[in-house]
């Protein structure tokens, strides 16, 4: 076996793992052996061999193909190894499963030589990093498509909430009733001590997204993000607002995003109009809160805070909303820019009642949010109120 | 001997029977109740808090002259609180007693311990039990407070009117109870459950209906006060509030005004007693002051004009 092949195969294994495939070390050993049998003359054979050994779910095949194409074609200009390790490591921390684009990625195929040793460009990692960190407003059409794929597959785990329901468990408090029940078979002697613990359920999430004119450059990506969220979690509700509030949970959960998108635009009549945050929040509190705010949800408000209405109304409605949820998170795409300060009156009024004020201008910030929601802890990033 | 319920022969008859018990049901609701009785299907009542959903079940039980069994729902409600539970402490005590009397024999005792005297019957089981008299009215109140798991239990119960206790076997209602399920719509109840029921949305009543309710339900209320109270509440409901005043609030308010010996309503009285109608600080603040004056003025116009026409 070529001396370069073994480290490369191992590296490839790490990339797959990083992409969310479950690649067991034992399987990697099998793969090494198998490659010896099959040889590396034919790319196709190599692909089939590795695929047969390393993939065991249909959904993963495409992911594997992308990773394979990328990995065995790319070529490097020198210190290619290190960033790839980083690439392999990173997504695991970010989310359980990331999309093909994460590995399939945006690596330029600079290979034209016949060099058999496959390596990766240093640019590869940074290039995908560019996409992650590029402001949504500046994405090209192509990048938008790739970013959308990423968003649609983003892993959503929202942390859990303890319910009032009990189940038998191994930990937790002693279940007196159950002890009595079990002890009957020992003639009334409490021999076994069964326990019970609270059932935990994923926390629901309610998102209110601004689609007014000032948000236009971000709306498309943010909607994609909400779609991914509604589909990726069991209990998500989403609403859009500009001057009025529209519930779109149903649209978001239907079929493909593209079809959904045009239906959405038809449903939301004030798309791209002015913003009335206060009125929209009030409409939510009055008409919807009692129906959709159950089990202490996480509330996400996505808006740049440009508001034509009365800041006092915003403050009042925010305060009310805050009392009924577990955490109130405000995502502001403008927060991505270093020079931004939340100075609009509406934004200032709202900030008092916000638990977390986070940026939402690029993929990295949204991924960070996903991790953050899962972690379920409160931390304040970005600028909190500019005092 | 199991009696059958005196099911009304027509919607009119039902409406009159309810009215005789001071429940003013509009035609839509009356038809739903009538069908629920006739088809022996559960009745699913949805509406804002305080529009008289629970009252339907209560009145129905009185009108049908039968027992009302009520199950109040809450999150985490489970079989042992809704259906049945074995009385473990009593079972343990029984073991000790048998032991002391040297009568403990294995097979016999095991059988003996899982018999009816050791069974604690919760509302749903009691509603299914064969009774000496008529089948009861089962009220499952505020189903939206319970969690989805509980809806699962109900599905089984409502489709067959049967529950199975492993130690005793299935218990089936010979004549199914009249089931009324209410929801304040704090969440959407699963369609599978609604599909098994007759669904009825109860609106806030209009002026005439509410006036009839107030006159019927509040002892000692004068016609004039009843009209003004109703007119004011009707006006109040046109204001966008977090929580509008329900019919039960109207009744409480009318009763309070009677207790305060008021013959008419005026601004001060309303200010002092607004807490009976609105239970939300923000709502109270938003109504107080000038706005209240406007509402009152409009209400008085309406109250007197309808009194004039009456």
């Amino acid at each position: 076996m070529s001396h370069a092949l073994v480290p490369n195969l191992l590296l490839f294994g790490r990339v797959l793992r990083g992409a969310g495939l479950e690649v067991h070390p034992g399987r990697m050993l099998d793969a090494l052996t198998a490659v010896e049998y099959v040889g590396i003359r034919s790319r196709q054979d190599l692909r089939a061999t590795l695929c047969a050994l390393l993939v065991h779910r249909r959904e993963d095949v495409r992911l594997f193909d992308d990773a394979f194409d990328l990995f065995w074609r790319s070529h490097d200009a020198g210190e290619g190894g290190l960033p790839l390790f980083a690439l392999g490591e990173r997504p695991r921390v970010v989310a359980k499963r990331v999309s093909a684009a994460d590995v399939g990625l945006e690596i330029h195929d600079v290979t034209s030589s016949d060099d058999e040793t496959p390596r990766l460009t240093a640019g590869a990692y940074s290039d995908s990093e560019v996409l992650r960190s590029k402001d949504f407003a500046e994405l090209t059409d192509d990048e938008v498509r790739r970013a959308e794929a990423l968003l649609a597959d983003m892993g959503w785990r929202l942390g859990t909430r303890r319910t009032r329901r009990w189940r038998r468990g191994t930990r937790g408090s002693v279940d007196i009733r159950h002890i009595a029940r079990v002890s009957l078979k020992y003639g009334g002697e409490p021999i076994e001590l069964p326990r019970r613990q609270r059932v935990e359920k994923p926390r629901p999430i309610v998102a209110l997204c601004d689609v007014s004119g000032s948000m236009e450059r971000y709306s498309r990506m943010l909607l994609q993000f909400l779609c991914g969220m509604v589909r990726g979690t069991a209990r998500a509700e989403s609403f859009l607002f500009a001057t009025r509030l529209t519930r779109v949970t149903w649209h978001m959960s239907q079929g493909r995003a593209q079809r959904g998108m045009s239906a959405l635009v038809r449903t939301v009549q004030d798309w791209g109009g002015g913003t009335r945050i206060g009125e929209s929040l009030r409409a939510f509190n009055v008409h919807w809160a009692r129906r959709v705010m159950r089990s202490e949800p996480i509330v996400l408000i996505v808006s740049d805070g440009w508001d034509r209405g009365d800041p006092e109304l915003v403050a009042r409605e925010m305060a009310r909303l805050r009392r009924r949820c577990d955490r109130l998170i405000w995502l502001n795409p403008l927060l991505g820019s270093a020079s931004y300060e939340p100075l609009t009156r509406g934004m200032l009024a709202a900030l008092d009642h916000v638990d977390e004020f986070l940026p939402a201008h690029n993929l990295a910030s949204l991924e960070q949010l996903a991790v953050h929601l899962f972690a379920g802890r409160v931390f304040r990033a970005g600028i909190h109120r500019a005092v | 001997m199991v009696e059958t319920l005196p099911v009304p022969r027509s919607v009119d008859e039902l409406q009159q029977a309810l009215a005789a018990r001071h429940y003013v049901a509009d035609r839509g609701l009356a038809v739903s109740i009538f069908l629920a009785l006739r088809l022996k299907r559960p009745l699913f009542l949805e509406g804002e808090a305080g529009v008289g959903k629970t009252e339907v079940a209560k009145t129905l039980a009185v009108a049908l002259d039968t027992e009302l069994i009520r199950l109040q729902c809450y999150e985490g409600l489970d079989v042992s609180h809704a259906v049945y539970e074995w009385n473990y402490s009593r079972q343990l005590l029984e073991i000790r007693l048998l032991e002391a009397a040297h009568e403990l024999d294995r097979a016999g005792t095991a059988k003996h311990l899982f018999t009816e005297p050791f069974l604690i019957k919760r509302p749903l089981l009691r509603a299914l039990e064969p009774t000496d008299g008529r089948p009861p009215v089962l009220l499952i109140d505020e189903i939206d407070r319970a969690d989805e798991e509980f809806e699962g239990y109900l599905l089984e119960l409502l489709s067959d009117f049967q529950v199975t206790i492993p130690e005793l076997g299935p218990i089936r209602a010979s004549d199914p109870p009249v089931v009324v399920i209410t929801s304040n719509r704090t969440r959407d109840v699963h369609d599978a459950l609604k599909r098994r029921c007759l669904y009825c949305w109860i609106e806030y009543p209009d002026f005439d209906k509410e006036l009839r309710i107030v006159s019927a339900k509040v002892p000692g209320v004068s016609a004039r006060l009843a009209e003004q109270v109703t007119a004011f509440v009707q006006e109040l409901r046109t204001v966008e509030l977090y929580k509008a005043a329900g019919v039960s609030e109207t009744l409480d308010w009318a009763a309070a005004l009677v207790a305060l010996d008021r013959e008419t309503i005026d601004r001060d009285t309303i200010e002092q007693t607004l807490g009976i109608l609105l239970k939300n600080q923000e709502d109270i603040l938003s109504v107080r002051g000038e706005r209240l004056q406007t509402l009152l003025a409009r209400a008085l116009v309406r109250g007197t004009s309808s009194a004039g026409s009456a």
Side-chain angles (χ1 to χ4, degrees), chain B residues 217-244:
Chain B
K217 284 261 184 180
V218 183
V221 71
S222 68
R224 191 167 167 214
L225 183 63
E227 267 154 21
Q228 291 189 354
V229 162
T230 310
F232 182 77
V233 174
Q234 291 276 332
E235 287 300 329
L236 196 59
R237 284 200 196 111
T238 61
V239 182
E240 191 181 68
L241 297 171
Y242 293 121
K243 175 70 191 82

PDB file of all heavy atoms in Angstrom, chain B residues 217-244:
ATOM      1  N   LYS B 217     -79.953  34.667  35.826  1.00  0.00           N
ATOM      2  CA  LYS B 217     -78.982  34.073  36.750  1.00  0.00           C
ATOM      3  C   LYS B 217     -78.692  34.899  37.991  1.00  0.00           C
ATOM      4  O   LYS B 217     -78.182  34.371  38.962  1.00  0.00           O
ATOM      5  CB  LYS B 217     -77.662  33.851  36.011  1.00  0.00           C
ATOM      6  CG  LYS B 217     -77.689  32.653  35.080  1.00  0.00           C
ATOM      7  CD  LYS B 217     -77.032  31.485  35.767  1.00  0.00           C
ATOM      8  CE  LYS B 217     -76.941  30.286  34.859  1.00  0.00           C
ATOM      9  NZ  LYS B 217     -76.302  29.167  35.518  1.00  0.00           N
ATOM     10  N   VAL B 218     -78.920  36.205  37.901  1.00  0.00           N
ATOM     11  CA  VAL B 218     -78.563  37.034  39.057  1.00  0.00           C
ATOM     12  C   VAL B 218     -79.820  37.367  39.844  1.00  0.00           C
ATOM     13  O   VAL B 218     -80.679  38.107  39.368  1.00  0.00           O
ATOM     14  CB  VAL B 218     -77.859  38.334  38.613  1.00  0.00           C
ATOM     15  CG1 VAL B 218     -77.442  39.148  39.836  1.00  0.00           C
ATOM     16  CG2 VAL B 218     -76.663  38.007  37.755  1.00  0.00           C
ATOM     17  N   PRO B 219     -79.939  36.832  41.052  1.00  0.00           N
ATOM     18  CA  PRO B 219     -81.128  37.109  41.831  1.00  0.00           C
ATOM     19  C   PRO B 219     -81.149  38.577  42.274  1.00  0.00           C
ATOM     20  O   PRO B 219     -80.099  39.139  42.623  1.00  0.00           O
ATOM     21  CB  PRO B 219     -80.998  36.189  43.048  1.00  0.00           C
ATOM     22  CG  PRO B 219     -79.673  35.518  42.940  1.00  0.00           C
ATOM     23  CD  PRO B 219     -78.967  35.985  41.735  1.00  0.00           C
ATOM     24  N   GLY B 220     -82.297  39.168  42.178  1.00  0.00           N
ATOM     25  CA  GLY B 220     -82.444  40.529  42.688  1.00  0.00           C
ATOM     26  C   GLY B 220     -81.987  41.628  41.776  1.00  0.00           C
ATOM     27  O   GLY B 220     -81.940  42.783  42.160  1.00  0.00           O
ATOM     28  N   VAL B 221     -81.607  41.296  40.533  1.00  0.00           N
ATOM     29  CA  VAL B 221     -81.145  42.344  39.640  1.00  0.00           C
ATOM     30  C   VAL B 221     -82.354  43.001  38.974  1.00  0.00           C
ATOM     31  O   VAL B 221     -83.284  42.332  38.528  1.00  0.00           O
ATOM     32  CB  VAL B 221     -80.154  41.788  38.599  1.00  0.00           C
ATOM     33  CG1 VAL B 221     -80.839  40.901  37.573  1.00  0.00           C
ATOM     34  CG2 VAL B 221     -79.408  42.920  37.905  1.00  0.00           C
ATOM     35  N   SER B 222     -82.347  44.332  38.969  1.00  0.00           N
ATOM     36  CA  SER B 222     -83.470  45.023  38.332  1.00  0.00           C
ATOM     37  C   SER B 222     -83.260  45.014  36.824  1.00  0.00           C
ATOM     38  O   SER B 222     -82.133  44.868  36.348  1.00  0.00           O
ATOM     39  CB  SER B 222     -83.536  46.462  38.827  1.00  0.00           C
ATOM     40  OG  SER B 222     -82.414  47.180  38.351  1.00  0.00           O
ATOM     41  N   ALA B 223     -84.359  45.172  36.091  1.00  0.00           N
ATOM     42  CA  ALA B 223     -84.277  45.145  34.630  1.00  0.00           C
ATOM     43  C   ALA B 223     -83.321  46.221  34.141  1.00  0.00           C
ATOM     44  O   ALA B 223     -82.509  45.996  33.246  1.00  0.00           O
ATOM     45  CB  ALA B 223     -85.663  45.345  34.029  1.00  0.00           C
ATOM     46  N   ARG B 224     -83.379  47.369  34.783  1.00  0.00           N
ATOM     47  CA  ARG B 224     -82.567  48.498  34.344  1.00  0.00           C
ATOM     48  C   ARG B 224     -81.068  48.220  34.549  1.00  0.00           C
ATOM     49  O   ARG B 224     -80.256  48.437  33.667  1.00  0.00           O
ATOM     50  CB  ARG B 224     -82.974  49.727  35.149  1.00  0.00           C
ATOM     51  CG  ARG B 224     -82.390  50.983  34.617  1.00  0.00           C
ATOM     52  CD  ARG B 224     -83.104  52.145  35.269  1.00  0.00           C
ATOM     53  NE  ARG B 224     -82.412  53.374  35.034  1.00  0.00           N
ATOM     54  CZ  ARG B 224     -82.361  54.375  35.897  1.00  0.00           C
ATOM     55  NH1 ARG B 224     -82.959  54.260  37.069  1.00  0.00           N
ATOM     56  NH2 ARG B 224     -81.728  55.479  35.601  1.00  0.00           N
ATOM     57  N   LEU B 225     -80.745  47.708  35.742  1.00  0.00           N
ATOM     58  CA  LEU B 225     -79.348  47.411  36.028  1.00  0.00           C
ATOM     59  C   LEU B 225     -78.837  46.323  35.088  1.00  0.00           C
ATOM     60  O   LEU B 225     -77.734  46.417  34.535  1.00  0.00           O
ATOM     61  CB  LEU B 225     -79.182  46.967  37.486  1.00  0.00           C
ATOM     62  CG  LEU B 225     -77.742  46.699  37.916  1.00  0.00           C
ATOM     63  CD1 LEU B 225     -76.913  47.961  37.824  1.00  0.00           C
ATOM     64  CD2 LEU B 225     -77.688  46.138  39.338  1.00  0.00           C
ATOM     65  N   ALA B 226     -79.660  45.302  34.894  1.00  0.00           N
ATOM     66  CA  ALA B 226     -79.257  44.200  34.016  1.00  0.00           C
ATOM     67  C   ALA B 226     -78.918  44.740  32.628  1.00  0.00           C
ATOM     68  O   ALA B 226     -77.908  44.368  32.025  1.00  0.00           O
ATOM     69  CB  ALA B 226     -80.359  43.164  33.934  1.00  0.00           C
ATOM     70  N   GLU B 227     -79.763  45.639  32.144  1.00  0.00           N
ATOM     71  CA  GLU B 227     -79.532  46.195  30.808  1.00  0.00           C
ATOM     72  C   GLU B 227     -78.238  46.999  30.766  1.00  0.00           C
ATOM     73  O   GLU B 227     -77.443  46.869  29.848  1.00  0.00           O
ATOM     74  CB  GLU B 227     -80.697  47.088  30.414  1.00  0.00           C
ATOM     75  CG  GLU B 227     -81.745  46.340  29.643  1.00  0.00           C
ATOM     76  CD  GLU B 227     -83.118  46.987  29.793  1.00  0.00           C
ATOM     77  OE1 GLU B 227     -83.179  48.187  30.146  1.00  0.00           O
ATOM     78  OE2 GLU B 227     -84.111  46.284  29.572  1.00  0.00           O
ATOM     79  N   GLN B 228     -78.051  47.835  31.764  1.00  0.00           N
ATOM     80  CA  GLN B 228     -76.845  48.666  31.755  1.00  0.00           C
ATOM     81  C   GLN B 228     -75.575  47.839  31.892  1.00  0.00           C
ATOM     82  O   GLN B 228     -74.582  48.080  31.192  1.00  0.00           O
ATOM     83  CB  GLN B 228     -76.934  49.700  32.892  1.00  0.00           C
ATOM     84  CG  GLN B 228     -78.001  50.735  32.637  1.00  0.00           C
ATOM     85  CD  GLN B 228     -77.944  51.874  33.644  1.00  0.00           C
ATOM     86  OE1 GLN B 228     -77.179  51.823  34.599  1.00  0.00           O
ATOM     87  NE2 GLN B 228     -78.762  52.890  33.429  1.00  0.00           N
ATOM     88  N   VAL B 229     -75.645  46.869  32.796  1.00  0.00           N
ATOM     89  CA  VAL B 229     -74.477  45.992  32.988  1.00  0.00           C
ATOM     90  C   VAL B 229     -74.139  45.293  31.683  1.00  0.00           C
ATOM     91  O   VAL B 229     -72.992  45.290  31.219  1.00  0.00           O
ATOM     92  CB  VAL B 229     -74.777  44.956  34.098  1.00  0.00           C
ATOM     93  CG1 VAL B 229     -73.817  43.789  34.021  1.00  0.00           C
ATOM     94  CG2 VAL B 229     -74.701  45.605  35.459  1.00  0.00           C
ATOM     95  N   THR B 230     -75.147  44.703  31.069  1.00  0.00           N
ATOM     96  CA  THR B 230     -74.922  43.972  29.831  1.00  0.00           C
ATOM     97  C   THR B 230     -74.381  44.894  28.747  1.00  0.00           C
ATOM     98  O   THR B 230     -73.416  44.557  28.059  1.00  0.00           O
ATOM     99  CB  THR B 230     -76.240  43.331  29.347  1.00  0.00           C
ATOM    100  OG1 THR B 230     -76.816  42.626  30.442  1.00  0.00           O
ATOM    101  CG2 THR B 230     -75.991  42.385  28.210  1.00  0.00           C
ATOM    102  N   ALA B 231     -75.002  46.060  28.630  1.00  0.00           N
ATOM    103  CA  ALA B 231     -74.566  46.987  27.592  1.00  0.00           C
ATOM    104  C   ALA B 231     -73.108  47.390  27.801  1.00  0.00           C
ATOM    105  O   ALA B 231     -72.322  47.453  26.854  1.00  0.00           O
ATOM    106  CB  ALA B 231     -75.464  48.224  27.584  1.00  0.00           C
ATOM    107  N   PHE B 232     -72.736  47.614  29.056  1.00  0.00           N
ATOM    108  CA  PHE B 232     -71.362  48.030  29.316  1.00  0.00           C
ATOM    109  C   PHE B 232     -70.362  46.916  28.967  1.00  0.00           C
ATOM    110  O   PHE B 232     -69.340  47.147  28.330  1.00  0.00           O
ATOM    111  CB  PHE B 232     -71.186  48.464  30.777  1.00  0.00           C
ATOM    112  CG  PHE B 232     -69.801  48.948  31.078  1.00  0.00           C
ATOM    113  CD1 PHE B 232     -69.388  50.219  30.682  1.00  0.00           C
ATOM    114  CD2 PHE B 232     -68.865  48.123  31.709  1.00  0.00           C
ATOM    115  CE1 PHE B 232     -68.094  50.663  30.926  1.00  0.00           C
ATOM    116  CE2 PHE B 232     -67.576  48.565  31.951  1.00  0.00           C
ATOM    117  CZ  PHE B 232     -67.191  49.841  31.560  1.00  0.00           C
ATOM    118  N   VAL B 233     -70.702  45.712  29.389  1.00  0.00           N
ATOM    119  CA  VAL B 233     -69.789  44.594  29.098  1.00  0.00           C
ATOM    120  C   VAL B 233     -69.669  44.390  27.589  1.00  0.00           C
ATOM    121  O   VAL B 233     -68.583  44.143  27.064  1.00  0.00           O
ATOM    122  CB  VAL B 233     -70.264  43.301  29.788  1.00  0.00           C
ATOM    123  CG1 VAL B 233     -69.402  42.121  29.362  1.00  0.00           C
ATOM    124  CG2 VAL B 233     -70.214  43.451  31.300  1.00  0.00           C
ATOM    125  N   GLN B 234     -70.805  44.540  26.906  1.00  0.00           N
ATOM    126  CA  GLN B 234     -70.770  44.397  25.438  1.00  0.00           C
ATOM    127  C   GLN B 234     -69.831  45.433  24.826  1.00  0.00           C
ATOM    128  O   GLN B 234     -69.069  45.127  23.923  1.00  0.00           O
ATOM    129  CB  GLN B 234     -72.179  44.544  24.856  1.00  0.00           C
ATOM    130  CG  GLN B 234     -73.115  43.393  25.202  1.00  0.00           C
ATOM    131  CD  GLN B 234     -72.979  42.209  24.272  1.00  0.00           C
ATOM    132  OE1 GLN B 234     -72.604  42.371  23.118  1.00  0.00           O
ATOM    133  NE2 GLN B 234     -73.261  41.014  24.758  1.00  0.00           N
ATOM    134  N   GLU B 235     -69.907  46.654  25.325  1.00  0.00           N
ATOM    135  CA  GLU B 235     -69.006  47.700  24.831  1.00  0.00           C
ATOM    136  C   GLU B 235     -67.558  47.363  25.151  1.00  0.00           C
ATOM    137  O   GLU B 235     -66.668  47.549  24.328  1.00  0.00           O
ATOM    138  CB  GLU B 235     -69.360  49.057  25.458  1.00  0.00           C
ATOM    139  CG  GLU B 235     -70.625  49.688  24.919  1.00  0.00           C
ATOM    140  CD  GLU B 235     -70.571  49.942  23.434  1.00  0.00           C
ATOM    141  OE1 GLU B 235     -69.470  50.195  22.905  1.00  0.00           O
ATOM    142  OE2 GLU B 235     -71.629  49.860  22.771  1.00  0.00           O
ATOM    143  N   LEU B 236     -67.379  46.869  26.366  1.00  0.00           N
ATOM    144  CA  LEU B 236     -66.025  46.552  26.820  1.00  0.00           C
ATOM    145  C   LEU B 236     -65.385  45.498  25.917  1.00  0.00           C
ATOM    146  O   LEU B 236     -64.175  45.508  25.670  1.00  0.00           O
ATOM    147  CB  LEU B 236     -66.084  46.040  28.265  1.00  0.00           C
ATOM    148  CG  LEU B 236     -64.782  45.995  29.060  1.00  0.00           C
ATOM    149  CD1 LEU B 236     -64.164  47.375  29.143  1.00  0.00           C
ATOM    150  CD2 LEU B 236     -65.046  45.443  30.456  1.00  0.00           C
ATOM    151  N   ARG B 237     -66.209  44.596  25.393  1.00  0.00           N
ATOM    152  CA  ARG B 237     -65.655  43.535  24.549  1.00  0.00           C
ATOM    153  C   ARG B 237     -65.227  44.047  23.181  1.00  0.00           C
ATOM    154  O   ARG B 237     -64.522  43.353  22.461  1.00  0.00           O
ATOM    155  CB  ARG B 237     -66.679  42.401  24.369  1.00  0.00           C
ATOM    156  CG  ARG B 237     -66.794  41.546  25.584  1.00  0.00           C
ATOM    157  CD  ARG B 237     -67.385  40.188  25.296  1.00  0.00           C
ATOM    158  NE  ARG B 237     -67.807  39.587  26.572  1.00  0.00           N
ATOM    159  CZ  ARG B 237     -69.057  39.386  26.908  1.00  0.00           C
ATOM    160  NH1 ARG B 237     -70.038  39.667  26.068  1.00  0.00           N
ATOM    161  NH2 ARG B 237     -69.351  38.885  28.082  1.00  0.00           N
ATOM    162  N   THR B 238     -65.668  45.255  22.822  1.00  0.00           N
ATOM    163  CA  THR B 238     -65.225  45.789  21.531  1.00  0.00           C
ATOM    164  C   THR B 238     -63.811  46.359  21.633  1.00  0.00           C
ATOM    165  O   THR B 238     -63.152  46.579  20.636  1.00  0.00           O
ATOM    166  CB  THR B 238     -66.159  46.920  21.044  1.00  0.00           C
ATOM    167  OG1 THR B 238     -66.104  47.979  22.019  1.00  0.00           O
ATOM    168  CG2 THR B 238     -67.586  46.445  20.906  1.00  0.00           C
ATOM    169  N   VAL B 239     -63.348  46.585  22.864  1.00  0.00           N
ATOM    170  CA  VAL B 239     -61.983  47.073  23.053  1.00  0.00           C
ATOM    171  C   VAL B 239     -61.036  45.892  22.963  1.00  0.00           C
ATOM    172  O   VAL B 239     -61.341  44.809  23.440  1.00  0.00           O
ATOM    173  CB  VAL B 239     -61.833  47.725  24.451  1.00  0.00           C
ATOM    174  CG1 VAL B 239     -60.435  48.274  24.640  1.00  0.00           C
ATOM    175  CG2 VAL B 239     -62.874  48.798  24.639  1.00  0.00           C
ATOM    176  N   GLU B 240     -59.902  46.114  22.313  1.00  0.00           N
ATOM    177  CA  GLU B 240     -58.941  45.014  22.205  1.00  0.00           C
ATOM    178  C   GLU B 240     -58.179  44.880  23.513  1.00  0.00           C
ATOM    179  O   GLU B 240     -57.399  45.750  23.884  1.00  0.00           O
ATOM    180  CB  GLU B 240     -57.972  45.287  21.065  1.00  0.00           C
ATOM    181  CG  GLU B 240     -57.130  44.089  20.739  1.00  0.00           C
ATOM    182  CD  GLU B 240     -56.146  44.371  19.622  1.00  0.00           C
ATOM    183  OE1 GLU B 240     -55.223  45.170  19.853  1.00  0.00           O
ATOM    184  OE2 GLU B 240     -56.304  43.800  18.535  1.00  0.00           O
ATOM    185  N   LEU B 241     -58.446  43.784  24.203  1.00  0.00           N
ATOM    186  CA  LEU B 241     -57.805  43.546  25.500  1.00  0.00           C
ATOM    187  C   LEU B 241     -57.111  42.193  25.467  1.00  0.00           C
ATOM    188  O   LEU B 241     -57.393  41.363  24.610  1.00  0.00           O
ATOM    189  CB  LEU B 241     -58.863  43.539  26.609  1.00  0.00           C
ATOM    190  CG  LEU B 241     -59.634  44.836  26.831  1.00  0.00           C
ATOM    191  CD1 LEU B 241     -60.781  44.592  27.791  1.00  0.00           C
ATOM    192  CD2 LEU B 241     -58.720  45.926  27.360  1.00  0.00           C
ATOM    193  N   TYR B 242     -56.203  42.002  26.415  1.00  0.00           N
ATOM    194  CA  TYR B 242     -55.557  40.697  26.493  1.00  0.00           C
ATOM    195  C   TYR B 242     -56.572  39.626  26.823  1.00  0.00           C
ATOM    196  O   TYR B 242     -56.548  38.531  26.301  1.00  0.00           O
ATOM    197  CB  TYR B 242     -54.464  40.702  27.565  1.00  0.00           C
ATOM    198  CG  TYR B 242     -53.300  41.584  27.224  1.00  0.00           C
ATOM    199  CD1 TYR B 242     -52.927  42.636  28.031  1.00  0.00           C
ATOM    200  CD2 TYR B 242     -52.558  41.335  26.065  1.00  0.00           C
ATOM    201  CE1 TYR B 242     -51.851  43.426  27.721  1.00  0.00           C
ATOM    202  CE2 TYR B 242     -51.481  42.132  25.744  1.00  0.00           C
ATOM    203  CZ  TYR B 242     -51.128  43.184  26.574  1.00  0.00           C
ATOM    204  OH  TYR B 242     -50.067  43.971  26.253  1.00  0.00           O
ATOM    205  N   LYS B 243     -57.454  39.974  27.742  1.00  0.00           N
ATOM    206  CA  LYS B 243     -58.470  39.006  28.126  1.00  0.00           C
ATOM    207  C   LYS B 243     -59.799  39.736  28.287  1.00  0.00           C
ATOM    208  O   LYS B 243     -59.972  40.526  29.213  1.00  0.00           O
ATOM    209  CB  LYS B 243     -58.059  38.339  29.449  1.00  0.00           C
ATOM    210  CG  LYS B 243     -59.081  37.397  30.019  1.00  0.00           C
ATOM    211  CD  LYS B 243     -59.207  36.144  29.185  1.00  0.00           C
ATOM    212  CE  LYS B 243     -60.411  35.311  29.606  1.00  0.00           C
ATOM    213  NZ  LYS B 243     -61.674  35.808  29.012  1.00  0.00           N
ATOM    214  N   ALA B 244     -60.713  39.470  27.367  1.00  0.00           N
ATOM    215  CA  ALA B 244     -62.016  40.106  27.433  1.00  0.00           C
ATOM    216  C   ALA B 244     -62.818  39.509  28.588  1.00  0.00           C
ATOM    217  O   ALA B 244     -62.545  38.408  29.048  1.00  0.00           O
ATOM    218  CB  ALA B 244     -62.746  39.899  26.122  1.00  0.00           C
TER     219      ALA B 244
END
